[in-house]
């Protein structure tokens, strides 16, 4: 079974930095777009950044210039470097990926989430 596991969340002061990582495991044939979403208390889950297997990354306007998404197609990981963090970045961050297993159609997977808290 395919699993996505996030790591790297924690408490950081405003202006600080944090790096999130997500590792995909299982019998994977292909990974297509990988992405990071976040959900703040009382709010809808929103797309933070996405990166196709061979294309350019795209970002939510609120994080442009501060966050950088990257992926390692050998290790099947995706990372989110977060700089100049703001209190409004506080949320549970979720890894998301479109993955195909052998003889199986492409399915969308979610990680369990990792808490990021930006507070002084």
């Amino acid at each position: 079974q395919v699993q996505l596991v996030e790591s790297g969340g924690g408490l950081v002061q405003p202006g600080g930095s944090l790096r999130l990582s997500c590792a995909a495991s299982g019998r994977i044939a292909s990974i297509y777009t990988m992405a990071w979403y976040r959900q703040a208390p009382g709010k809808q889950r929103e797309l933070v950044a996405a990166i196709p297997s061979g294309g350019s990354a795209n970002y939510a306007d609120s994080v442009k210039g501060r966050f950088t998404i990257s992926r390692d197609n050998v290790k099947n990981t995706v990372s989110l470097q977060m700089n100049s963090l703001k209190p409004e970045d506080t949320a549970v961050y979720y890894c998301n990926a479109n993955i195909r297993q052998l003889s199986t159609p492409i399915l969308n997977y979610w990680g369990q989430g990792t808490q990021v808290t930006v507070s002084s």
Side-chain angles (χ1 to χ4, degrees):
Q1 185 177 4
V2 172
Q3 288 188 311
L4 300 178
V5 180
E6 303 98 336
S7 62
L11 175 64
V12 64
Q13 292 185 323
S17 297
L18 212 56
R19 185 177 180 87
L20 306 181
S21 295
C22 171
S25 63
R27 290 184 174 272
I28 297 170
S30 302
I31 301 180
Y32 301 93
T33 299
M34 303 186 83
W36 287 95
Y37 288 75
R38 68 185 181 187
Q39 188 166 25
K43 295 185 177 180
Q44 295 249 359
R45 188 171 300 186
E46 65 174 347
L47 177 66
V48 177
I51 181 168
S53 59
S56 299
N58 57 90
Y59 302 88
D61 288 341
S62 60
V63 307
K64 285 182 179 177
R66 300 188 298 119
F67 291 11
T68 302
I69 188 171
S70 61
R71 63 189 289 168
D72 186 329
N73 293 326
V74 175
K75 296 181 178 180
N76 290 336
T77 60
V78 62
S79 298
L80 185 69
Q81 178 66 46
M82 304 184 294
N83 299 325
S84 302
L85 284 162
K86 305 174 181 179
E88 50 262 44
D89 294 319
T90 296
V92 177
Y93 284 71
Y94 297 91
C95 180
N96 179 269
N98 293 321
I99 299 174
R100 184 179 68 81
Q101 295 185 282
L102 185 63
S103 301
T104 302
I106 300 170
L107 296 177
N108 188 252
Y109 296 86
W110 291 94
Q112 287 287 101
T114 185
Q115 177 70 48
V116 172
T117 302
V118 184
S119 177
S120 59

